[in-house]
Amino acid sequence: MSDQRAPNLSVGDYWIDRGDERVIGPKGPVRLGHKAYQVFCALADRRGRLLTKDALFETVWDGMFVSESALTTTIRELRRALDDDPRHPHYIESVYGRGYRIVATVEEVDGPIPTNGVPHVEPVQQKPTVEAGQPPRLAVAEFRDAAVQDRAPYVGATMREEILLGLSRFREIQVVDAALSVSEGSERDYRLDASFLPDAKGLKANVRLQRLGDGGIVWAETIPIDSDGLGAGVETIVRRIVGAAFPALDQDLSIGIGDAAGTLFDRYIVAKRQSIDAQDRATAEDAARQLEAIIAEKPNFALAYPPLVRLYHIDYNYTALGSSGPTERRRALDLAKAGLAADKSHVHSYTVLGFCHLYHEEYDQARSCFDHALERNPFNPERLNEVATGMTYLGDFDRARALFEQSAGIQPFADDASQEDLGRLALLEGDIDTAMEHFGKVTVASLWSQLCAAATLRHRDEKAGAKAIKRWMERVHAGWHRPIPPTDDEVFAWFRFHHPYKDDAGKPLIDLVGKALNID
């Protein structure tokens, strides 16, 4: 009968002896508790890939309910036994909020393992490679605050911990609780660091996001902090840093990959960007095929689901107007549920499922999804705007406005999408003048901002508004999914199909658009 026991392994300077269930180091056998030994074996078996906390609880603790402190205590014991510094790890790296991975070289061992210790060899620092399907790493370095210790003791440690928690909510990155240098990072790793200095009104934080592949600075900002209100203002400052750092990283990563489709994650980034930027139906449908292929290849790759759901919801990025129907909406709902099942911590999965429920008139389920999204990541301005829009459709205008303001506090500049959101909200609240002011600030009008602007203009100026409505109808006819142009009734039904208001929440807008399109 063959021996089915897992192979012995060398992990850096240490050996795992499966037969005796022990670890041998440079000085001989290492004292380890049984759980610490099991955790070390589980991490080593992953060969440098992420092992989530849930997976460790399921395997090492056999699914028993234990507190997370049991795992952190075991990791601490293991690091102490391996003489590993958690800030500059040679063996166990923390992926903040998610799990751990082995960073040392792991190899299978043939033959007997020495019991009196093994020759010590300085670990060779190799640039890590990015595993297919894994997001880039973001290392959060120590925040330097020695210059302000007299007026704000512990500000660096406090702020860093809050930012680690905030960034760990973004599933598109892996947050590492360590200070990686340029030589230690891969071409797709990043580092966030900050230094606190005295300022006229208190102190200031110089924050920067650096690309470790070449040392390039991706984003940097100086943020003034009033020392008198430091305690109350920590959350606001954290939101601002987190809310700026992630979009900068995401954009830099997208540019860096270009059109090359290498790893699964590269393919996802290319397809996601294509799904958002598509100007014609063929390009949008190609993005959908790429995303479908990624999901078929790796169903638990949760990031691929939201952009695909979006394409099916909104006429392939509005490149084939009127093409989304009940079939596409059912497919979108199935995908959204599968995406959330793949990763229940991925906040975007909650918002896209929320919109699926809206489109199916399942309003209580939609609200629940939006509440979950808000609870899990209040630092992402894009997600905040999505939840606010969802609340608008549900008729909760006060909450929607508060969320739009919260988003603006993180990302203070108002882009076209923000102006459209605020204009539509003002219109629903009956404030036509404010709505027109917001729509007037849109530089490149979307289909819906152009329609809202034309409808409100027609309400004020019949002749000018009629011309604006005519231009909008020409745009719709040019982009319709079939050669035969739609009737006015079809256009109005299409508008209603894409604006799933609960009860009478959308009545002011619906009446205004109906009147503009001469619908009784």
Side-chain angles (χ1 to χ4, degrees):
M1 186 172 179
S2 62
D3 186 359
Q4 299 296 317
R5 189 177 62 216
N8 295 330
L9 300 173
S10 68
V11 184
D13 290 345
Y14 294 84
W15 302 64
I16 295 178
D17 186 342
R18 306 274 193 179
D20 282 345
E21 292 193 0
R22 61 178 178 172
V23 174
I24 310 297
K27 298 179 181 179
V30 176
R31 294 186 61 182
L32 275 180
H34 184 58
K35 294 299 184 186
Y37 169 79
Q38 287 184 298
V39 168
F40 192 36
C41 289
L43 290 168
D45 285 337
R46 293 286 290 174
R47 303 295 204 281
R49 291 175 293 164
L50 174 69
L51 186 58
T52 66
K53 295 178 181 179
D54 288 342
L56 280 166
F57 284 130
E58 187 66 29
T59 55
V60 176
W61 279 268
D62 297 323
M64 293 176 57
F65 177 78
V66 293
S67 67
E68 190 165 318
S69 63
L71 175 57
T72 56
T73 300
T74 303
I75 291 290
R76 192 180 305 118
E77 176 191 351
L78 184 54
R79 280 177 168 152
R80 187 164 51 245
L82 301 175
D83 194 24
D84 198 29
D85 182 355
R87 299 296 185 189
H88 303 279
H90 290 299
Y91 288 95
I92 301 173
E93 176 186 85
S94 299
V95 180
Y96 206 82
R98 300 185 66 186
Y100 305 91
R101 66 157 57 88
I102 288 286
V103 293
T105 301
V106 179
E107 296 179 348
E108 291 190 12
V109 178
D110 291 326
I113 290 179
T115 59
N116 296 322
V118 296
H120 177 76
V121 179
E122 277 301 317
V124 177
Q125 291 299 307
Q126 299 176 333
K127 285 215 170 190
T129 58
V130 180
E131 180 194 353
Q134 290 291 345
R137 297 189 303 173
L138 173 57
V140 180
E142 293 292 335
F143 283 11
R144 301 177 296 277
D145 59 2
V148 296
Q149 279 296 304
D150 57 333
R151 62 179 74 182
Y154 312 116
V155 64
T158 301
M159 200 78 71
R160 181 177 182 274
E161 185 64 24
E162 292 296 325
I163 286 172
L164 276 166
L165 288 169
L167 287 169
S168 69
R169 300 168 190 247
F170 292 82
R171 307 310 274 176
E172 295 87 344
I173 54 177
Q174 300 180 81
V175 181
V176 179
D177 184 6
L180 297 178
S181 68
V182 172
S183 63
E184 294 172 316
S186 78
E187 61 182 9
R188 291 241 307 278
D189 287 337
Y190 296 81
R191 181 178 65 197
L192 181 73
D193 58 40
S195 59
F196 294 86
L197 299 170
D199 192 45
K201 294 184 178 180
L203 54 150
K204 61 183 178 182
N206 292 330
V207 191
R208 69 176 183 175
L209 179 67
Q210 185 179 23
R211 189 188 312 113
L212 292 182
D214 59 8
I217 303 298
V218 175
W219 165 80
E221 188 172 344
T222 297
I223 302 175
I225 305 171
D226 186 344
S227 58
D228 292 336
L230 180 63
V234 165
E235 183 176 358
T236 300
I237 298 163
V238 169
R239 287 176 188 270
R240 184 170 171 182
I241 293 173
V242 173
F246 173 72
L249 186 155
D250 189 54
Q251 182 181 21
D252 184 75
L253 181 66
S254 180
I255 294 171
I257 290 175
D259 295 323
T263 69
L264 190 75
F265 189 80
D266 292 344
R267 288 161 52 199
Y268 153 71
I269 288 290
V270 172
K272 182 185 78 165
R273 185 180 61 209
Q274 188 174 320
S275 73
I276 296 171
D277 297 341
Q279 298 296 312
D280 59 80
R281 183 172 186 170
T283 303
E285 289 182 337
D286 182 59
R289 282 191 292 271
Q290 292 180 52
L291 292 166
E292 289 275 17
I294 290 170
I295 289 169
E297 181 179 338
K298 193 169 185 179
N300 64 345
F301 188 70
L303 297 177
Y305 289 88
L308 183 57
V309 171
R310 176 181 175 275
L311 285 172
Y312 290 149
H313 268 169
I314 60 170
D315 300 335
Y316 290 96
N317 199 36
Y318 294 120
T319 60
L321 307 185
S323 62
S324 290
T327 300
E328 287 75 19
R329 291 281 168 87
R330 283 194 296 272
R331 174 62 176 156
L333 179 59
D334 290 342
L335 285 166
K337 290 179 178 178
L340 184 59
D343 185 354
K344 292 185 178 180
S345 296
H346 187 207
V347 176
H348 202 183
S349 295
Y350 285 96
T351 58
V352 297
L353 182 57
F355 279 99
C356 286
H357 285 310
L358 282 178
Y359 288 127
H360 285 81
E361 299 182 358
E362 298 165 348
Y363 299 113
D364 289 341
Q365 295 95 317
R367 182 181 289 274
S368 177
C369 286
F370 294 135
D371 287 341
H372 281 303
L374 187 61
E375 177 185 348
R376 280 164 172 75
N377 193 352
F379 300 100
N380 189 331
E382 189 174 352
R383 299 290 90 81
L384 287 173
N385 286 336
E386 288 171 353
V387 174
T389 300
M391 293 301 159
T392 301
Y393 285 130
L394 291 169
D396 194 342
F397 299 151
D398 289 341
R399 193 175 184 199
R401 184 166 294 283
L403 289 169
F404 282 133
E405 291 174 357
Q406 185 176 332
S407 173
I410 297 173
Q411 185 173 283
F413 60 88
D415 55 13
D416 286 348
S418 298
Q419 296 293 358
E420 179 181 338
D421 290 335
L422 293 170
R424 183 172 54 246
L425 180 57
L427 197 158
L428 292 168
E429 292 172 330
D431 189 346
I432 300 293
D433 291 335
T434 299
M436 291 183 69
E437 182 179 341
H438 283 297
F439 293 134
K441 293 178 180 178
V442 173
T443 55
V444 180
S446 71
L447 273 165
W448 303 128
S449 65
Q450 184 181 356
L451 172 62
C452 291
T456 51
L457 178 60
R458 191 175 187 276
H459 183 74
R460 289 282 193 243
D461 186 330
E462 182 75 23
K463 186 175 180 179
K467 290 182 179 179
I469 288 291
K470 182 181 178 181
R471 288 192 294 271
W472 182 78
M473 288 293 285
E474 290 171 349
R475 181 177 178 181
V476 171
H477 287 184
W480 201 248
H481 71 289
R482 64 170 190 258
I484 301 173
T487 65
D488 290 352
D489 285 335
E490 284 181 304
V491 172
F492 185 65
W494 169 69
F495 158 75
R496 291 294 307 274
F497 188 68
H498 284 278
H499 292 80
Y501 288 102
K502 180 183 179 182
D503 301 330
D504 292 332
K507 190 174 188 305
L509 174 60
I510 293 168
D511 289 348
L512 201 64
V513 171
K515 183 179 179 181
L517 298 178
N518 298 312
I519 303 297
D520 295 331

